[in-house]
Amino acid sequence: MAFGDYQLEIYFQGLAGVVPSLPMAFAELEAKAEMALAPSVWSYVAGGAGDERTQRVNREAFDRWGLIPRMFVGATERDLSVEMFGLTLPSPLFMAPIGVIGLCAQDGHGDLATARAAARTGVPMVGSTLTVDPMEDLAAAFGDTAGFFQLYPPTDREVAASLVNRAEAAGFKAIVITLDTWVTGWRPRDLSAANFPQLRGHCLANYVTDPVFRSLLGQDASPSAAVSLFARLFGNPLTWDDLPWLRSLTTLPLLVKGICHPDDARRARDGGVDGIYCSTHGGRQADGGLPALDCLPAVVDAADGLPVLFDSGVRSGADVIKALALGATAVAVGRPYAYGLAIGGADGIVHVLRSLLAEADLIMAVDGYPTVADLTRDTLRRTCTCHHD
């Protein structure tokens, strides 16, 4: 079945008088999620760093590119599958790690709902270090879909090794090291509510279930002691000298997240990583930066054949197509699936993912691009060269 057939399901259900219960447009999805989430969770998920300029330009960067339609191609069948580090994935879409996704579900178990949505769609989930349910429970819910584990490297190397070893044992297919969050960015929305979920004891399941972390706790296994230890361990300001250690932690594919400069991509490649993850953390960590999309082509060139994963600002199937054309191997969505979860649980996530894939597939059909490989840089044109104050 083609991904675009999701629209046929919807239209045929309409013949029986059934219209979609979940939003079809991102703006409506966002508005409904704001009503569904507690204000503190909403501000944490929807907000960004500073005046949220980087968050906005991440989104607006996509508007500056347009895909050129090609006719007489007869793209009756589209192949959206991609291959990276030995995995064949049914599509280039995956779900970015979200450290409070657990709190976005009405039942408070959003990580599990996301894992179940991954199983139902074939869209991989990158499970965060910060989850409500332990990583083993997530991995058990993935079914046949690949899952990746995202590590915020703690300052204690034994805890780091333990978390990675557990991810390997649980069946995760790759380890993603996030480099841009050893300290949290300046987030006025969260500061206004003095809200840092993990310091309130949320999303720490992977720590409190970890044998090395528990041994460091000693006799005092109280929630407050766990939060205190987490706060002391979180945030390792890594340098290039740490890359050999990170590489030594696992035989799984190792990806580094937050790479936006080609020199960093080259050095990471030379240091033995298996993939580069180009991202500005959705504008959540540092304001005043470049859109991630503008950094992507040079990072792809520097990666020299390594898979390049991408996120930041993706809101539609059209955005996915443009990121692929600029060289991304796989493209992650973040806030949209969090919003789908907030209003519809696992069904809401599945709806968002199927909608993104349907739109991407139908654009490839209409515009004459049968495979992901056909989406190259010369299929895009700049729609404007405007500069905003």
Side-chain angles (χ1 to χ4, degrees), residues 129-175:
T129 303
L130 302 169
T131 53
V132 169
D133 292 283
M135 66 175 89
E136 290 82 1
D137 293 0
L138 270 59
F142 285 148
D144 295 329
T145 301
F148 309 148
F149 179 72
Q150 174 269 334
L151 179 71
Y152 289 121
T155 51
D156 186 294
R157 287 191 168 193
E158 289 187 21
V159 174
S162 182
L163 290 167
V164 170
N165 291 342
R166 286 171 59 196
E168 277 192 2
F172 286 88
K173 302 299 186 192
I175 303 295

Side-chain angles (χ1 to χ4, degrees), residues 39 59 125 132 134 151 155 158 215 226-227 233 237 281 301 303 350 385:
R59 165 80 282 297
M125 170 191 187
V132 169
L151 179 71
T155 51
E158 289 187 21
S215 72
V227 167
L233 296 183
H281 216 106
D301 290 344
V350 169
T385 53

Side-chain angles (χ1 to χ4, degrees), residues 256-269:
V256 283
K257 179 174 183 282
I259 301 289
C260 289
H261 195 293
D263 290 351
D264 291 347
R266 272 187 285 272
R267 195 158 177 184
R269 182 199 68 207

